[in-house]
Amino acid sequence: MSETLDDNGTAERKVFIKTYGCQMNVYDSQRMSDALRGDGYRETDVIEDADLVLLNTCHIREKAAEKIYSELGRIRVLKAENAAKGRTMQVGVTGCVAQAEGAEIIARAPVVDLVIGPQTYHRLPDALKRAARGERVVETDYAVEDKFEHLPNPNERQIRARGVTAFLTVQEGCDKFCTFCVVPYTRGAEVSRPRAAILDEARRLAAAGVREVTLLGQNVNAWEHTDDAGRRHGLGSLLRDLAEIPGLARLRYTTSHPRDMGDDLIEAHRDLRALMPYLHLPVQSGSDAILKAMNRRHKASDYHRLVARIRQARPDIALSGDFIVGFPGESDADFEATLRLVREVGYAAAYTFKYSPRPGTPGASMDGHVAEAVKTERLERLQALIREQQVAFQSGFVGQDSDVLIEKPGRHANQMIGRSPYLLPVVIPASAGRVGDIVTVRIGDTRPNSLMAVGAEPSDNLPPRSRAVRFETATLARKIA
């Protein structure tokens, strides 16, 4: 492994970060990379070249920990091969599996040098120095200090390299304690980042060319701020502040809880052009009995009323959701109630899962676990219904104009890829504009998970009604050099 020097003449080392799970883990991986940059680390996509390998883990999926141990087995072989060549490779496990498993990872996987929980990754550089001295480090306590205050800010070049869209964590943790969920145990209680810190980070992103920001939180709409006069402000207030930042053309947020969808946030959807008309609003089940067993603390009728209020405020809004089938005690009637809710609400997309027990959660010890074959059959029926709605939603754009934020080149020559306001990928002709532009295109066709603008493929493949094409740069569009 040849040694190179960074801009300051420091020996440059390489870090390979593999990210599992949610958007917040993507954001956390970026911030860990920022924290390591001061110690001379640069990211690499080639694990064989890495001096440091980090697995940033997620504990939501079934058998998440076992998948990490399997990955560590492969890394153990690579680390041994490097050692035989006189090369040192440090290995760390971070994120929610690290928080849940802690010292057990060190005990089960000797290849691991350090374990860092999601609330303590600002301590990563120090932990690496301790590990280099032979200590096997476990940092999984909930830090008293604000980790964001201790993390270096990415420079403009780093931000530009990540593209014209960005994630921005505004809230962490969850106090809801749904009986199926490990988040309160791995991410801790709900904590809101200070308003000033969020706005400062957003301004830096915009100054570096970011056009769209997605606010992140395990329960993002629980974010709140208390001003100097003692008045409390919710996420709607923060979105209004962000909408005033020059250059930020689009705002999104995820993931929300129905119980925290306040009037100020609904009104923000009504009032803010920058707030995209797409909302992820998980409900999990359409059965009141199952919602109670899940400790969701709302009924199906509450969810329906909330959706009606949101759609009254923003008629063109599209919804996505989360659903779990086969939760302990779920009867055929309970499942039919979920299908009924899906039909009545209508979704643009949804994440659907078979229930799988998480050790330490109340759901794992409940009676009435549903047979795997039954869960599979229910999931297939639910997914078929969601897919039917998704196809209908996407087909409705054919022949219509859509504003598209151009994000990157396409797979084929003379193509670019962008996103519609509804988060759908759109393939457009390269002649439409450059990365960072917001252009208006006519949608000519659909694919399973994307839209095709007129002119993005040979016209013979397009419906006759879609041959017209219009490219316009929106008023807020700004070309990125």
Side-chain angles (χ1 to χ4, degrees):
M1 189 179 303
S2 61
E3 182 179 275
T4 58
L5 301 180
D6 64 15
D7 296 339
N8 299 317
T10 304
E12 184 176 281
R13 292 171 287 181
K14 295 180 180 179
V15 55
F16 175 89
I17 305 177
K18 184 169 183 177
T19 305
Y20 300 78
C22 66
Q23 297 100 322
M24 186 170 286
N25 270 14
V26 174
Y27 177 85
D28 286 351
S29 290
Q30 292 175 346
R31 298 310 303 270
M32 282 190 282
S33 176
D34 297 338
L36 291 168
R37 196 170 184 83
D39 283 358
Y41 284 94
R42 299 295 181 267
E43 284 192 69
T44 178
D45 294 328
V46 182
I47 190 171
E48 290 80 4
D49 291 344
D51 302 280
L52 169 64
V53 175
L54 296 176
L55 303 182
N56 191 16
T57 61
C58 175
H59 210 280
I60 296 297
R61 299 289 186 264
E62 185 176 10
K63 299 179 180 178
E66 293 308 314
K67 292 176 182 177
I68 298 304
Y69 287 120
S70 178
E71 183 73 15
L72 288 171
R74 291 187 286 270
I75 293 172
R76 177 182 58 81
V77 175
L78 180 60
K79 184 174 182 177
E81 291 173 351
N82 280 350
K85 298 173 184 177
R87 300 174 179 173
T88 299
M89 173 186 281
Q90 289 184 299
V91 178
V93 178
T94 69
C96 291
V97 172
Q99 187 67 41
E101 300 284 320
E104 185 177 349
I105 296 174
I106 292 287
R108 285 186 57 180
V111 68
V112 175
D113 299 292
L114 64 154
V115 177
I116 302 287
Q119 304 303 329
T120 51
Y121 63 75
H122 57 297
R123 301 177 184 171
L124 182 56
D126 177 68
L128 285 168
K129 293 172 184 175
R130 291 160 57 195
R133 295 194 295 266
E135 182 181 350
R136 301 188 73 200
V137 180
V138 178
E139 287 272 10
T140 56
D141 60 314
Y142 290 103
V144 174
E145 70 271 27
D146 181 358
K147 69 182 178 187
F148 295 100
E149 291 183 4
H150 292 76
L151 288 169
N153 296 316
N155 60 41
E156 184 171 319
R157 184 171 61 180
Q158 289 172 273
I159 296 172
R160 284 182 178 272
R162 291 167 182 167
V164 296
T165 66
F167 295 129
L168 200 172
T169 293
V170 302
Q171 181 272 342
E172 289 198 348
C174 186
D175 295 342
K176 301 299 184 288
F177 287 93
C178 297
T179 55
F180 56 80
C181 187
V182 298
V183 167
Y185 311 102
T186 58
R187 288 278 185 169
E190 290 176 355
V191 177
S192 297
R193 282 186 71 188
R195 171 184 170 276
I198 295 168
L199 295 177
D200 285 346
E201 185 170 344
R203 291 188 188 101
R204 287 194 300 273
L205 293 172
V210 169
R211 307 303 318 284
E212 175 180 298
V213 167
T214 300
L215 308 183
L216 299 180
Q218 272 82 33
N219 192 27
V220 67
N221 56 345
W223 181 90
E224 64 176 17
H225 163 71
T226 302
D227 64 22
D228 294 339
R231 294 182 296 258
R232 298 173 70 178
H233 304 270
L235 188 65
S237 171
L238 178 63
L239 287 163
R240 291 179 189 277
D241 291 336
L242 291 166
E244 297 296 321
I245 295 177
L248 282 188
R250 290 183 167 187
L251 298 172
R252 305 182 189 273
Y253 62 92
T254 193
T255 290
S256 304
H257 194 290
R259 291 184 61 245
D260 290 318
M261 199 76 192
D263 291 342
D264 70 319
L265 188 50
I266 295 174
E267 291 165 1
H269 278 282
R270 179 194 65 197
D271 299 337
L272 299 179
R273 179 185 177 187
L275 182 54
M276 293 294 96
Y278 186 87
L279 173 62
H280 187 65
L281 191 64
V283 63
Q284 307 300 354
S285 175
S287 161
D288 286 346
I290 297 302
L291 289 170
K292 183 177 181 179
M294 289 178 168
N295 194 37
R296 292 291 289 174
R297 289 183 278 181
H298 63 78
K299 296 182 177 181
S301 58
D302 299 325
Y303 186 83
H304 277 295
R305 284 192 292 270
L306 177 59
V307 168
R309 290 174 56 212
I310 294 168
R311 283 179 166 157
Q312 183 178 16
R314 186 70 190 261
D316 63 339
I317 202 164
L319 297 178
S320 63
D322 289 349
F323 294 91
I324 296 172
V325 302
F327 191 78
E330 184 185 67
S331 65
D332 289 341
D334 293 323
F335 176 65
E336 290 297 333
T338 295
L339 293 180
R340 185 164 58 251
L341 182 144
V342 171
R343 293 189 189 100
E344 292 171 351
V345 171
Y347 289 90
Y351 299 98
T352 57
F353 310 94
K354 291 188 290 186
Y355 173 72
S356 58
R358 293 294 179 269
T361 62
S365 58
M366 286 182 175
D367 296 329
H369 281 258
V370 177
E372 192 67 22
V374 175
K375 288 193 286 188
T376 298
E377 187 271 339
R378 289 176 181 172
L379 182 65
E380 290 173 351
R381 289 176 61 194
L382 175 60
Q383 288 178 334
L385 176 57
I386 293 291
R387 182 61 185 162
E388 179 183 316
Q389 293 186 345
Q390 183 180 7
V391 169
F393 175 72
Q394 292 182 198
S395 297
F397 291 103
V398 175
Q400 304 297 313
D401 291 340
S402 180
D403 291 339
V404 176
L405 170 60
I406 303 176
E407 296 183 2
K408 60 184 179 181
R411 292 182 182 178
H412 305 293
N414 301 316
Q415 286 186 348
M416 301 293 281
I417 304 294
R419 294 270 178 179
S420 79
Y422 297 96
L423 208 55
L424 287 167
V426 184
V427 182
I428 66 175
S431 58
R434 296 192 295 174
V435 171
D437 287 348
I438 297 176
V439 299
T440 302
V441 301
R442 178 69 55 87
I443 303 302
D445 200 1
T446 67
R447 294 292 183 267
N449 295 297
S450 62
L451 304 175
M452 302 292 295
V454 174
E457 61 180 3
S459 59
D460 291 345
N461 296 335
L462 298 177
R465 70 173 183 270
S466 303
R467 295 192 187 278
V469 61
R470 177 164 63 93
F471 300 130
E472 295 178 358
T473 302
T475 302
L476 290 176
R478 178 168 59 90
K479 291 186 177 181
I480 308 303

